[in-house]
Amino acid sequence: MASTTPQGLCIHPRQMDFELPDPLPRHWHGGDAFKSHLFDAMSLQFPDGERFFIDSVRYFREHIGDPQLRKQIRSFIGQEGHHSREHQVYSKRLRDLGYDIDRLEGHVQARIRFTQKRLSPQRQLAATAALEHITAIMAEGLLRDARHLEGAHPTMVRLWRWHALEETEHKAVAFDVYNQVCGNRSLLRRAMLMGTFFFVLDTSRGLVHMLKRDGLLWNWRVWRGGLSWLWGKRGIYRPLLGPYRDFFRDDFHPWQRDSLELLQRLRGEFDGAHQAEEANGPVPS
Ligand SMILES: [Fe+2]
Ligand SMILES: [Fe+2]
């Protein structure tokens, strides 16, 4: 299948040093325990998860002849490497608050060890392409809808927006590599079902653990507020269901959802005067 990644797409790794608040306010997301810990629970999957993404793509680098895609792989590795390191600091802040991050990260590490030992490189890459789609639709939701981070600590907003911007930029790299070296759609769909299951499991486990440590696990108001923020009538996750399902279509490609205009609008936040030549012209200053 032909890739529909825009020609000349600029994937630009940005070395950031956020100096996350130390100590991290326990409920940094506007004083809301559910919202803060939902993001925290996702974050603690990133240090190991993104290293796994890098390994699974890097394994096939030498099989890729297209110089454009090879360049994108290099940038993908650069971006995910920075994400992994920043989220490691984030995990440390959570550990300092007394949460059992070692146990939570241990579940992720054990699964990655199993995957790398028992599954073929193609299946590992399929898992990466699937999880990158989940990450990308959440990232785009976060960038488009301010309610995701409304009222949160400004440094945390910046960290999550930086990560979301770069996830959007490189959303098709693993997918394009997969298409070139394997392309089997049913493997990809199965990987998505498994990936979704474990992502939801790990996120829920982290959220429950942190709410429990805060003494809020059985607080009905916390759950009602949080679940309605996610899945209520105007819930922030509701609009993501359609894009999630798109992945199961036979002709799916991540760039069928055009994010170039969004990227151009947001790059100024992090790039200053950086002017990236895109397929449709230079980024407006
Ligand atoms: Fe990332
Ligand atoms: Fe990514």
Side-chain angles (χ1 to χ4, degrees):
M1 178 197 163
S3 159
T4 54
T5 297
Q7 280 295 313
L9 169 73
C10 175
I11 301 178
H12 168 50
R14 301 157 183 84
Q15 182 113 43
M16 308 296 281
D17 190 1
F18 285 102
E19 299 194 12
L20 297 185
D22 189 9
L24 181 69
R26 197 172 288 275
H27 301 153
W28 56 266
H29 198 315
D32 187 305
F34 186 100
K35 293 178 185 176
S36 308
H37 294 327
L38 183 84
F39 278 94
D40 296 342
M42 287 193 281
S43 172
L44 56 87
Q45 298 169 56
F46 290 144
D48 296 292
E50 306 210 90
R51 275 194 292 269
F52 166 73
F53 295 168
I54 291 172
D55 290 345
S56 65
V57 169
R58 188 163 27 209
Y59 180 89
F60 288 105
R61 187 163 53 180
E62 298 312 315
H63 300 239
I64 301 296
D66 174 5
Q68 179 68 18
L69 185 52
R70 283 177 71 92
K71 197 170 147 208
Q72 291 181 359
I73 291 172
R74 227 180 10 255
S75 303
F76 168 84
I77 291 173
Q79 289 189 334
E80 296 294 39
H82 293 159
H83 300 169
S84 180
R85 279 190 291 280
E86 289 298 330
H87 284 272
Q88 226 171 325
V89 177
Y90 191 158
S91 288
K92 183 178 179 309
R93 295 286 188 277
L94 294 171
R95 209 175 272 119
D96 292 345
L97 291 175
Y99 301 115
D100 193 352
I101 301 306
D102 292 342
R103 181 176 67 82
L104 295 167
E105 286 186 341
H107 288 290
V108 178
Q109 288 157 359
R111 189 167 322 110
I112 291 174
R113 269 200 306 275
F114 175 86
T115 304
Q116 291 187 319
K117 207 167 144 195
R118 304 290 280 274
L119 302 190
S120 68
Q122 285 80 1
R123 289 184 69 186
Q124 293 179 42
L125 184 60
T128 295
L131 287 163
E132 281 284 278
H133 181 60
I134 296 180
T135 317
I137 58 176
M138 292 179 74
E140 198 168 325
L142 183 149
L143 293 171
R144 286 190 190 278
D145 183 348
R147 292 176 309 146
H148 282 251
L149 287 167
E150 213 161 39
H153 187 289
T155 309
M156 302 304 281
V157 173
R158 199 162 158 74
L159 167 81
W160 282 105
R161 284 180 72 79
W162 159 73
H163 195 162
L165 171 67
E166 296 198 343
E167 288 302 323
T168 308
E169 279 181 349
H170 73 229
K171 64 179 176 176
V173 175
F175 190 91
D176 286 341
V177 173
Y178 180 81
N179 264 342
Q180 295 215 2
V181 300
C182 178
N184 182 324
R185 289 279 166 161
S186 70
L187 198 65
L188 207 52
R189 290 189 193 103
R190 283 206 303 276
M192 179 53 111
L193 294 174
M194 293 288 284
T196 306
F197 173 78
F198 286 117
F199 177 70
V200 172
L201 177 73
D202 285 333
T203 305
S204 311
R205 183 158 34 209
L207 174 65
V208 163
H209 168 74
M210 288 184 258
L211 287 176
K212 194 172 173 189
R213 283 277 161 103
D214 292 356
L216 293 170
L217 184 59
W218 302 107
N219 185 314
W220 169 239
R221 282 183 53 214
V222 167
W223 283 96
R224 192 183 51 191
L227 290 174
S228 124
W229 172 67
L230 291 179
W231 297 108
K233 229 180 200 164
R234 292 189 58 244
I236 56 166
Y237 278 8
R238 274 208 179 199
L240 308 184
L241 283 174
Y244 171 80
R245 278 196 300 265
D246 287 346
F247 191 84
F248 293 89
R249 283 202 328 257
D250 280 340
D251 65 345
F252 169 78
H253 185 277
W255 277 98
Q256 282 161 349
R257 201 175 162 75
D258 189 353
S259 323
L260 275 184
E261 178 271 332
L262 175 73
L263 288 177
Q264 288 183 357
R265 210 153 26 88
L266 291 170
R267 277 175 178 159
E269 259 184 58
F270 296 99
D271 295 352
H274 173 72
Q275 297 277 301
E277 292 294 326
E278 296 286 4
N280 55 351
V283 181
S285 53

